[in-house]
Amino acid sequence: MVTSIAAARGGPARAGAALRAELGELMADGARRLCDHPYYQGLRDGTLPGAALLHFTLQDSCHLLPGYGRAQARCSVLARDDRQAAVLSRMATGALDDCTARLAGLHATAERLGLELPLPAGEEKPPIAPTTLGYVSFLGNATAGSLGAAIGAVLPSAWLYMLVTDDLLERHDPGARYAAEVVKAHPGEFYRGMLADFLDLAEQVADTSSAAEQRELVRNAGHAVRYEWAFVDAAWRQEGWPF
């Protein structure tokens, strides 16, 4: 009986490569769907309603990014060696530090565009929206199990962020309303290097995982890609609770 991708493909060194290729196809499809979404189309050409941009950034900075950073920190606890722990800890620290930076940038953006932040009286954060709550809860649950399941849950956000911001930078209208925000959102080459380390780590995890854990990694990655799209769509719709 074949017990792992490695056995099926001729040795442990090929399990991670096969999984990375499978995930690459999943991310390419997810990135295409995201870049075709009206939210990102509007960000590129300047037609995005300001309220949608505020919804996205507040939900991301106040709720999703902190949840993601904590999920990455839990991954570092599950790491199988010190190098894995270091890579995952850097990802966690970067996400958590980014929360403060993005909120500070949002205030400057809102002032430049003449937008009022939709915050409850006396509050610094908006209530967590339904889709955001679902995504954060998924990240928490997925990172409470095996390392493979945890990596599958957190990898898509990092990978798609690079793919989508690359596309935004390449195709946006430099004279449009949100051109400055598009340029500022791109994480740069340092982040691309961090992502490369993260992808290498995912391959290594696959090489040393059971077939069941490999399947769980891919399954969670699929869930996370759909949550990424749903989060963007919720911002486009300016989603809130019915009561």
Side-chain angles (χ1 to χ4, degrees), residues 48-188:
L48 179 71
L53 177 67
L54 296 182
H55 185 288
F56 181 102
T57 310
L58 284 170
Q59 289 293 314
D60 192 34
S61 301
C62 296
H63 301 297
L64 183 54
L65 261 180
Y68 180 79
R70 291 193 298 271
Q72 284 279 17
R74 284 190 289 271
C75 287
S76 70
V77 175
L78 298 171
R80 294 169 182 166
D81 58 44
D82 291 345
R83 184 182 179 280
Q84 289 181 359
V87 171
L88 295 166
S89 294
R90 283 196 298 271
M91 296 296 296
T93 300
L96 293 169
D97 286 346
D98 218 14
C99 301
T100 302
R102 290 191 190 188
L103 275 178
L106 178 63
H107 283 80
T109 295
E111 183 176 354
R112 182 178 71 82
L113 298 175
L115 302 172
E116 184 176 350
L117 296 180
L119 298 175
E123 297 289 334
E124 296 182 355
K125 297 181 179 180
I128 189 168
T131 298
T132 311
L133 178 60
Y135 195 179
V136 171
S137 299
F138 161 73
L139 291 171
N141 290 335
T143 52
S146 70
L147 179 60
I151 293 299
V154 298
L155 181 59
S157 179
W159 200 340
L160 289 171
Y161 183 47
M162 193 80 252
L163 293 174
V164 171
T165 55
D166 275 348
D167 181 82
L168 281 172
L169 198 61
E170 179 181 352
R171 294 203 290 151
H172 81 288
D173 179 353
R177 186 184 193 201
Y178 300 115
E181 282 65 45
V182 167
V183 173
K184 185 168 57 177
H186 194 277

Side-chain angles (χ1 to χ4, degrees), residues 12-34:
R14 300 186 63 182
L19 182 137
R20 184 166 179 167
E22 182 177 359
L23 291 179
E25 293 179 2
L26 179 63
M27 296 307 133
D29 180 68
R32 177 187 59 79
R33 292 176 185 276
L34 285 166

Side-chain angles (χ1 to χ4, degrees), residues 7 102 138 171 189 200 226 238:
R102 290 191 190 188
F138 161 73
R171 294 203 290 151
E189 295 309 305
D200 289 344
R226 294 178 183 92
Q238 300 167 50

